[in-house]
Amino acid sequence: MAEPEFTAMGVRIGKGLRSLTRAGQVRISDGRVELLTSYGSEIDSAPVQAVRASKPWFASDDRALADLNGTRYLLTLGDRDPAPGEPGPPAARRFIEAVRRAAGRA
């Protein structure tokens, strides 16, 4: 198995107004985007070319939207990249860039 292109842990994953997990994981690996619970169970996954990642209009900088298989998920990542050795998820902006880069979109 190849090294993941992007991994974020401690991510709050929600669907609509419902929170699915408060400490989930988002991973881009082998051409797929995976949303996982804190226990490692899969919430959803899709080929990276079929995933749309964007920034919500009226949300803080730590949030990103991800559309997988027709379902929209609200991801709450960090508002800034953590310092080396500091715990915490990377910035939402980095997730959006990673999805676009992995899908071959600039």
Side-chain angles (χ1 to χ4, degrees):
M1 184 148 121
E3 185 71 24
E5 299 167 32
F6 177 87
T7 301
M9 301 178 87
V11 178
R12 171 175 250 142
I13 301 172
K15 185 167 111 178
L17 297 175
R18 194 177 82 177
S19 177
L20 301 175
T21 184
R22 295 186 319 183
Q25 184 176 357
V26 177
R27 186 169 46 202
I28 300 174
S29 178
D30 297 328
R32 293 190 70 77
V33 175
E34 300 172 313
L35 304 179
L36 306 169
T37 66
S38 55
Y39 299 109
S41 301
E42 184 176 293
I43 295 171
D44 204 350
S45 71
V48 74
Q49 289 84 6
V51 174
R52 281 189 17 216
S54 60
K55 178 92 180 77
W57 278 23
F58 297 105
S60 57
D61 287 339
D62 65 345
R63 301 203 177 193
L65 289 174
D67 290 329
L68 281 82
N69 300 321
T71 305
R72 179 170 290 172
Y73 295 95
L74 178 63
L75 310 176
T76 305
L77 296 107
D79 56 351
R80 61 177 177 78
D81 286 327
E86 182 181 307
R93 172 184 42 81
R94 240 183 71 209
F95 166 71
I96 295 167
E97 291 170 0
V99 169
R100 292 179 180 159
R101 190 173 46 251
R105 300 184 291 250

